[in-house]
Amino acid sequence: MFFSFSWLLVLLSCILLETAAWINYTSDGTATMTHYELPENYVASCGCTPSSTHYPTAALSQMAYGSSTAYGPGCGKCFNLTLLNTWTSTPPFYPSVTKHIVIKVTDLCPLSGDGWCSATDSKPNPSGQYLNFDLAYPSDAIPDNFFPSNASLYGYTDFGVWNISYQTVSCENWAGWGNEAALGSVAYLGSESVCCPDNPTGSANDTCPSYSDDNGIPPDTTTSSSPRTAGATPSIIIFVSILLCCYVG
Ligand SMILES: *[C@@H]1O[C@H](CO)[C@@H](O)[C@H](O)[C@H]1NC(C)=O
Ligand SMILES: *[C@@H]1O[C@H](CO)[C@@H](O)[C@H](O)[C@H]1NC(C)=O
Ligand SMILES: *[C@@H]1O[C@H](CO)[C@@H](O)[C@H](O)[C@H]1NC(C)=O
Ligand SMILES: *[C@@H]1O[C@H](CO)[C@@H](O)[C@H](O)[C@H]1NC(C)=O
Ligand SMILES: *[C@@H]1O[C@H](CO)[C@@H](O)[C@H](O)[C@H]1NC(C)=O
């Protein structure tokens, strides 16, 4: 009895320790890309302005984002994402055109058991990657034919998940850079729960701290019948990730 209880404690502390180890990623590398539905003008986890959704945005996988709730160091960062290939399809698809897009991170893609946002610093996601960018798509900011496909060969056009390369870039390269209203965070939610720098560089004075590190990671006290309010939780991402996992996996 005592033995199994200590084991439970050890197990619990391992889980907690693992949850607290954010992923240190290099400025350039490979990752996976999925997509999710983000309603236009929705204020996502970082608290970036509604107008940010008028330009390409993405949610970053939790352990790279750097927080389990609200904002994290990933908020506001801009990345140039280039589509390489798909591999969950049979056969793998290598597009004949090279598509890239510069996105701003405005949302958190929650850590999930074995989904595309499941990587921790010790365990990559199902494709061996430590980062997943969940692109807000479809979006008025991105052409509907952004993702290359070959309908006659595959019988469908949405591969769901892509192998990509990423580069950390200055947000001056982001399509929304010229629009002051698309930069920064909303004021009405209070500065304690929002953080969306216009061009974070990693310095303490222009990069968000981790909301979880500063406030502790709260236990999940929701029950299966708890209502979810829009704007407060990334429920849409969870929903779409589940859909995507079932669809792709
Ligand atoms: C990540 O980098 C930070 C700051 O450089 C460091 O304190 C931390 O130990 C690193 N974590 C890992 C898992 O390497
Ligand atoms: C993004 O990457 C593509 C290549 O995939 C490159 O042509 C383009 O110049 C890059 N854009 C920026 C802003 O780095
Ligand atoms: C689709 O795949 C077929 C078979 O590999 C190929 O012949 C055709 O050119 C491809 N079409 C496009 C648009 O890539
Ligand atoms: C993703 O692309 C990289 C670079 O081309 C390649 O090394 C890797 O094998 C690819 N991964 C998958 C799962 O296709
Ligand atoms: C942050 O600090 C660096 C040097 O410490 C300075 O050059 C930079 O202008 C500061 N950025 C902001 C947004 O205050």
Side-chain angles (χ1 to χ4, degrees):
M1 184 65 186
F2 178 70
F3 178 76
S4 55
F5 182 66
S6 343
W7 264 109
L8 196 69
L9 277 182
V10 169
L11 196 73
L12 262 177
S13 45
C14 286
I15 291 169
L16 287 176
L17 273 178
E18 184 164 82
T19 316
W22 309 120
I23 294 173
N24 285 344
Y25 50 89
T26 51
S27 60
D28 294 9
T30 55
T32 50
M33 185 202 269
T34 48
H35 60 83
Y36 77 117
E37 268 175 63
L38 182 70
E40 197 167 54
N41 297 321
Y42 188 90
V43 175
S45 293
C46 298
C48 301
T49 62
S51 297
S52 65
T53 63
H54 301 185
Y55 304 95
T57 65
L60 180 57
S61 45
Q62 179 169 314
M63 300 314 283
Y65 177 92
S67 184
S68 65
T69 331
Y71 56 74
C75 287
K77 288 189 76 173
C78 292
F79 294 91
N80 184 16
L81 309 178
T82 302
L83 301 179
L84 298 177
N85 64 281
T86 71
W87 75 99
T88 54
S89 60
T90 310
F93 177 58
Y94 289 83
S96 51
V97 287
T98 305
K99 293 287 192 78
H100 67 91
I101 190 164
V102 175
I103 59 90
K104 190 173 180 72
V105 173
T106 63
D107 207 356
L108 157 70
C109 184
L111 188 65
S112 56
D114 56 2
W116 301 108
C117 290
S118 66
T120 63
D121 67 341
S122 56
K123 178 182 78 72
N125 74 11
S127 106
Q129 301 291 355
Y130 288 89
L131 268 66
N132 183 66
F133 293 90
D134 205 6
L135 182 70
Y137 176 91
S139 158
D140 287 347
I142 305 171
D144 284 342
N145 66 355
F146 173 68
F147 288 100
S149 61
N150 185 337
S152 61
L153 180 58
Y154 293 96
Y156 57 87
T157 54
D158 188 353
F159 292 102
V161 53
W162 281 78
N163 188 27
I164 64 165
S165 64
Y166 71 89
Q167 297 165 272
T168 307
V169 297
S170 162
C171 287
E172 289 159 349
N173 295 289
W174 184 53
W177 181 253
N179 181 357
E180 186 74 16
L183 300 169
S185 54
V186 293
Y188 58 84
L189 288 174
S191 57
E192 64 283 355
S193 63
V194 300
C195 182
C196 186
D198 57 4
N199 197 10
T201 64
S203 304
N205 64 354
D206 65 13
T207 302
C208 304
S210 168
Y211 185 86
S212 298
D213 285 352
D214 289 354
N215 295 277
I217 301 175
D220 184 356
T221 53
T222 54
T223 57
S224 56
S225 58
S226 297
R228 297 217 172 244
T229 49
T233 58
S235 52
I236 292 178
I237 300 189
I238 296 171
F239 178 62
V240 173
S241 304
I242 290 169
L243 272 185
L244 206 70
C245 290
C246 301
Y247 177 67
V248 175

